[in-house]
Amino acid sequence: MLINNYIEAEKYYKKALTIYPESITIMKAIADLKSFQGKYDESIYYLNEIMEIEPSNKNSGLNLYQTFIEINNYDKAKDVLDGLKKYYPKDSDILNSLLEIQYIDKNWLGLIETYQIMYENINNDEIIYRIYEIGISTDNFKKVNTVLLELKNEKNALIIIELLAAIAEHEGKYILAIQYMEELINIAGENEIYIINLCELYLRAENFTKIINILEPLYLNGNQSIEILRLLLIAHSMLNNIDKEIVIGKLIINEYPNVKLGYETLYASYYQLGEQQKAIKILLKALSKFPNELFFAFHLSNLFASMGDYNKAEKYFKYTLGINPNFISAKYALALMYEEMEDLNRSDSLFLHLINENQNDAIGLNDYAYVISERQKVSVDELNFAIGLVKNAIKLEPDNPAFLDTLGWIYFKLEMYVEAEQYLQKSLSLNDSNTVILEHMGDVYVKMKKFKDAKKIYNKILSIESDNELIKNKIAKINE
């Protein structure tokens, strides 16, 4: 046999088997010999004979399993393992073989259960991670959650509680996830990572006051990590604590000068307070620090435009487009600024450029059409051109209420009130609480002398915006 004389070896073993017909050792040797020669069916025969005599023979059983795998007979391979499991329910070799066949069969639930048995034998965190990863990748969260709860009752390991919290968060059960994180902190102590994770969960649960209550003491005691500051900023922002935002924003700029968040925070806070010069100062400082950051350049452009400083606005719009020539929002904002400047040539040129670049930009088509309709001096030809634009937008998005409103409003400008009523009614059927669409509808009814309908529409606007003086004046004019 050592010189690969398989024929002679086989004769020797078969002769020996006639003398000792139930010798497992001889049958094992013949099975190996057949396997070496690639005669798997004959090898399986002798291995089956062994298993008939000794069903608990682990080594021969695993050899039989591997032989069935070799010939791709996975059902038989699984049957062999099922038989061995009766004798060795927690044996690592058998469990690893079972994992192999379960992967092949894509038996994810069985795979999770096998890993559960393995973890019960060996407290190995890698096994728990594997259970969790399988649950994520195969969408078997319910099964994984059940297994983890069973293991938690036995082990109560930190990793198990962490993963239970992760599953609860994934399923949107934030209160449950919070309970797990609090349990984790009670066991492990005040670990900053766990505290941050807890506050992230409170953020998702929109309990902003709780975030402040947890993090403020740490912050005041000198723990000013960027993660703590970020969460405090979000919480204060949601609660409109602008003064707190400014304090934290300044701190971030001082302590973390290479982090954009501090500058973004101060700009947003000053802008919200109406302190435009301070907002500009921060944006200029930020842009000198982060010269290629679109956020600062674009917001600086918009801020100058809103203040009527069109020269500086144009300068920074062009700067923004120098950073990213394909930044569509900047191009639209610049076109709208030209419109405000009544520089219609440059406005039309830029809008047409945008449309030609992307003829499937439904929003762009609609916006340009509406801009044209709102001009003080607009010709019938221009309004008809605008109708063509918005109709193309509607072809792309037939049920967009804003597009239908634009078309109705252009017909109003053309004094085609029946058509205007038709499209505005359809727009309102899709969005009956938009005050702009409602006002357009009311204005059409006034022109059609449907004053009762107009008042009803205007009163609906007042139910949404009770301090709308323009609408109050329109009602008063009807009542004259």
Side-chain angles (χ1 to χ4, degrees):
M1 186 172 178
L2 293 175
I3 59 172
N4 294 326
N5 192 339
Y6 297 124
I7 296 174
E8 289 300 318
E10 186 177 339
K11 286 180 180 178
Y12 169 79
Y13 284 125
K14 283 187 175 181
K15 183 177 180 181
L17 192 61
T18 59
I19 301 170
Y20 306 102
E22 292 190 356
S23 171
I24 290 174
T25 302
I26 297 172
M27 284 189 278
K28 175 69 170 59
I30 297 174
D32 290 344
L33 187 64
K34 296 293 185 181
S35 182
F36 292 150
Q37 297 177 83
K39 298 178 180 180
Y40 298 118
D41 288 343
E42 293 181 48
S43 177
I44 287 168
Y45 170 81
Y46 286 102
L47 290 170
N48 273 325
E49 287 291 305
I50 294 171
M51 299 309 292
E52 284 289 328
I53 297 168
E54 189 180 336
S56 63
N57 190 312
K58 174 185 162 183
N59 290 333
S60 293
L62 288 175
N63 285 341
L64 180 58
Y65 160 79
Q66 287 295 341
T67 307
F68 279 128
I69 291 292
E70 193 71 30
I71 63 172
N72 298 323
N73 192 334
Y74 303 124
D75 290 337
K76 289 287 187 180
K78 185 175 179 302
D79 289 342
V80 172
L81 290 180
D82 287 341
L84 289 174
K85 269 180 66 181
K86 295 175 185 177
Y87 299 98
Y88 309 99
K90 296 182 179 182
D91 182 86
S92 60
D93 293 328
I94 292 170
L95 290 174
N96 280 316
S97 297
L98 190 58
L99 290 175
E100 180 184 27
I101 197 71
Q102 286 168 338
Y103 267 116
I104 292 170
D105 284 347
K106 297 182 180 180
N107 179 4
W108 310 125
L109 295 180
L111 200 62
I112 290 167
E113 290 171 356
T114 302
Y115 273 122
Q116 179 181 4
I117 295 169
M118 292 181 75
Y119 183 77
E120 288 168 350
N121 294 339
I122 309 168
N123 288 348
N124 187 325
D125 288 351
E126 287 299 317
I127 296 174
I128 290 293
Y129 278 121
R130 290 298 299 135
I131 291 172
Y132 179 72
E133 287 167 358
I134 293 165
I136 291 175
S137 60
T138 64
D139 198 25
N140 278 301
F141 281 99
K142 186 175 180 180
K143 177 64 176 178
V144 174
N145 193 71
T146 300
V147 167
L148 291 177
L149 283 172
E150 291 173 1
L151 293 175
K152 179 177 181 291
N153 291 334
E154 297 174 16
K155 311 285 185 179
N156 207 34
L158 295 180
I159 182 61
I160 295 174
I161 304 172
E162 283 182 30
L163 295 179
L164 283 169
I167 291 172
E169 181 183 1
H170 176 83
E171 294 179 337
K173 299 174 180 178
Y174 300 124
I175 302 303
L176 179 60
I178 286 168
Q179 290 171 356
Y180 283 129
M181 285 309 303
E182 288 177 338
E183 181 182 354
L184 202 56
I185 291 169
N186 288 335
I187 296 171
E190 291 197 351
N191 178 303
E192 183 176 327
I193 294 174
Y194 291 158
I195 290 172
I196 294 296
N197 289 342
L198 176 61
C199 288
E200 291 281 6
L201 290 169
Y202 275 120
L203 183 63
R204 285 165 176 73
E206 299 184 4
N207 191 336
F208 308 115
T209 301
K210 190 70 175 179
I211 294 171
I212 294 170
N213 291 340
I214 292 171
L215 296 181
E216 194 88 6
L218 299 176
Y219 163 69
L220 294 174
N221 285 329
N223 188 338
Q224 297 170 351
S225 73
I226 191 65
E227 281 304 311
I228 286 177
L229 295 176
R230 181 185 68 83
L231 285 165
L232 279 172
L233 267 180
I234 295 171
H236 284 305
S237 174
M238 298 307 296
L239 296 172
N240 205 30
N241 296 333
I242 298 178
D243 290 344
K244 294 281 190 180
E245 291 178 67
I246 291 173
V247 171
I248 296 173
K250 288 179 178 179
L251 177 62
I252 292 175
I253 289 174
N254 290 331
E255 297 296 323
Y256 304 96
N258 294 320
V259 175
K260 294 176 289 185
L261 179 61
Y263 295 96
E264 293 168 351
T265 298
L266 283 187
Y267 157 69
S269 299
Y270 289 138
Y271 182 80
Q272 193 173 348
L273 290 170
E275 297 184 21
Q276 294 175 324
Q277 291 303 323
K278 287 185 176 180
I280 287 172
K281 186 177 178 181
I282 284 295
L283 287 173
L284 288 170
K285 186 177 179 182
L287 202 56
S288 68
K289 182 76 176 175
F290 307 99
N292 294 317
E293 181 53 48
L294 277 175
F295 176 91
F296 301 123
F298 183 53
H299 282 279
L300 190 58
S301 311
N302 282 323
L303 191 50
F304 278 127
S306 70
M307 296 168 64
D309 194 339
Y310 298 126
N311 288 332
K312 287 183 180 176
E314 184 174 18
K315 171 186 173 181
Y316 284 103
F317 274 127
K318 289 181 177 178
Y319 182 96
T320 302
L321 291 169
I323 299 171
N324 182 358
N326 298 316
F327 190 25
I328 301 299
S329 296
K331 292 182 180 180
Y332 272 116
L334 180 57
L336 289 171
M337 188 188 78
Y338 288 145
E339 192 72 24
E340 288 177 15
M341 295 167 62
E342 297 185 1
D343 189 343
L344 302 187
N345 287 334
R346 286 204 287 178
S347 174
D348 285 334
S349 175
L350 191 46
F351 271 119
L352 288 170
H353 165 75
L354 288 164
I355 289 169
N356 288 331
E357 275 194 335
N358 184 2
Q359 296 183 6
N360 292 321
D361 179 10
I363 294 174
L365 290 165
N366 174 75
D367 288 353
Y368 185 31
Y370 193 78
V371 163
I372 293 171
S373 73
E374 288 291 277
R375 288 174 178 172
Q376 293 297 317
K377 295 179 181 179
V378 59
S379 68
V380 171
D381 286 344
E382 288 171 327
L383 288 172
N384 282 325
F385 173 71
I387 284 176
L389 292 172
V390 72
K391 281 187 173 179
N392 285 335
I394 291 171
K395 285 179 184 176
L396 295 167
E397 297 182 25
D399 294 323
N400 189 309
F403 299 174
L404 295 165
D405 168 65
T406 297
L407 183 54
W409 189 238
I410 296 172
Y411 279 128
F412 172 85
K413 292 294 186 79
L414 287 167
E415 300 181 3
M416 299 171 65
Y417 303 125
V418 173
E419 290 83 355
E421 180 185 24
Q422 173 191 344
Y423 284 102
L424 288 169
Q425 282 181 342
K426 186 173 181 182
S427 177
L428 286 172
S429 73
L430 297 166
N431 183 354
D432 65 353
S433 61
N434 184 293
T435 55
V436 173
I437 303 172
L438 288 165
E439 185 179 355
H440 288 168
M441 188 78 259
D443 293 350
V444 169
Y445 283 144
V446 169
K447 289 293 185 180
M448 298 176 78
K449 301 188 184 306
K450 295 181 178 181
F451 299 116
K452 185 177 179 180
D453 290 332
K455 284 178 67 175
K456 183 178 178 182
I457 290 289
Y458 289 148
N459 280 318
K460 183 170 183 177
I461 295 173
L462 291 178
S463 72
I464 300 169
E465 299 175 355
S466 58
D467 58 349
N468 192 319
E469 295 298 325
L470 177 63
I471 297 301
K472 289 178 182 179
N473 291 334
K474 288 186 177 185
I475 293 173
K477 191 172 182 180
I478 293 173
N479 290 332
E480 289 177 357

